[in-house]
Amino acid sequence: MKELVAGYFDEWAEAISNPDMVARFKQFQNTADAADNMETEQDTGQWRPVYWPREAAAQDFSTMQGQWSCTAWEPVIETAHFDGADELPNGIPATVKRGDTQLAVWRFRGKYYATRQVCPHKRAFVLSDGLVGHDPTRPCSDDAEHQSAAPASAPWISCPNHKRNFDLVGGSCSSDGSLSIATFSAEPRGDGLLYIKPPPLGELDTGLGTTRWRVRKGESGDSPFAELDKKVQLLGRKSRKVNGIKPAVDGPVNGINRTGSETARPAVMAGCGSAPDW
């Protein structure tokens, strides 16, 4: 025990006292700016993010390139950020900000990809935290190491929240045909910077800006836990005290009523269909 106590240290205290480590904890890798990804509201006296919206953003974002007036190459981040990416199974991602728009960038198996940062399913700004993969039965986008008669396939990014899989080149979603993401051409250059090809800033922010797409109060409708609360029948601390203890549930608890006899256990959830969509 003495050895364990002597070797203890506060990892977070060490982190916040190290300027190099603190610099890694920022929302975007190309700027010190920050952005609110969703509104907040009070619940039982505490602030929390608003619930996810009831409906997904079903707009066809994959065809936005044909709607922009023009596109031009612009540097967004140093390629040194992605050093070592080809040795990692998931590559290395980055979250970058241009105007009011958040973008996700990856180096994966020797190539660069860029998309919007928002998963349209619940409008969560999380795609750079997802897992990158590809169809194992087909070569991955001009991968010379894998020869196959099947046409090459682009890798996909899997949203970390609900596992919607989006094509990193075309933007389509293989697990939900109503969803898609905007994608951008990306290439490294000799000046040590990664360039992407977005539209003018005003058009980009109008179509993909954080202010437009962050989740707002009231978009979820009723609380996603309302149905579950009805099944559990929680009434709060309103019941009478039993043996000096005030129960949180009015009625049978764990299948035993207050007289000590067994009762039917209430069904809390019946499969995933009755639970909220996390």
Side-chain angles (χ1 to χ4, degrees), residues 166-239:
F166 299 94
D167 187 293
L168 284 175
V169 175
S172 62
C173 180
S174 62
S175 47
D176 188 337
S178 67
L179 302 179
S180 63
I181 58 173
T183 60
F184 305 87
S185 299
E187 66 176 34
R189 294 191 178 177
D191 57 3
L193 298 174
L194 178 68
Y195 286 70
I196 66 171
K197 201 174 184 182
L201 186 59
E203 295 181 34
L204 183 67
D205 287 346
T206 297
L208 303 175
T210 302
T211 302
R212 176 178 179 183
W213 291 106
R214 68 183 176 190
V215 183
R216 293 178 170 79
K217 297 177 184 178
E219 291 191 74
S220 64
D222 296 333
S223 167
F225 300 101
E227 182 180 351
L228 183 61
D229 289 344
K230 292 178 182 178
K231 292 183 178 182
V232 179
Q233 295 182 345
L234 293 179
L235 302 177
R237 297 184 177 276
K238 298 179 180 179
S239 305

Side-chain angles (χ1 to χ4, degrees), residues 69-167:
S69 62
C70 63
T71 56
W73 290 103
E74 295 184 2
V76 290
I77 190 173
E78 294 181 350
T79 55
H81 172 83
F82 304 95
D83 287 352
D86 297 342
E87 285 73 52
L88 301 175
N90 200 51
I92 291 179
T95 309
V96 301
K97 184 174 181 285
R98 182 176 182 270
D100 187 45
T101 301
Q102 301 183 39
L103 304 173
V105 183
W106 294 266
R107 179 180 171 101
F108 176 68
R109 298 184 64 172
K111 292 184 176 295
Y112 290 92
Y113 304 90
T115 74
R116 69 181 309 202
Q117 168 72 337
V118 181
C119 174
H121 176 227
K122 294 298 181 184
R123 287 165 40 205
F125 294 75
V126 295
L127 288 187
S128 62
D129 295 324
L131 294 177
V132 183
H134 68 95
D135 185 343
T137 65
R138 299 168 62 187
C140 183
S141 293
D142 303 325
D143 188 346
E145 296 180 3
H146 297 77
Q147 300 297 326
S148 171
S153 65
W156 39 259
I157 179 65
S158 183
C159 174
N161 286 347
H162 304 101
K163 304 303 181 286
R164 276 19 181 216
N165 298 330
F166 299 94
D167 187 293

Side-chain angles (χ1 to χ4, degrees), residues 233-241 244-250 258:
Q233 295 182 345
L234 293 179
L235 302 177
R237 297 184 177 276
K238 298 179 180 179
S239 305
R240 65 181 178 85
K241 291 185 178 181
I245 300 176
K246 196 172 185 180
V249 181
D250 185 16
R258 289 176 183 162

Side-chain angles (χ1 to χ4, degrees), residues 53-75:
R54 184 180 299 273
E55 302 296 334
Q59 177 179 335
D60 187 358
F61 296 99
S62 64
T63 60
M64 292 191 74
Q65 292 185 2
Q67 304 169 20
W68 291 327
S69 62
C70 63
T71 56
W73 290 103
E74 295 184 2

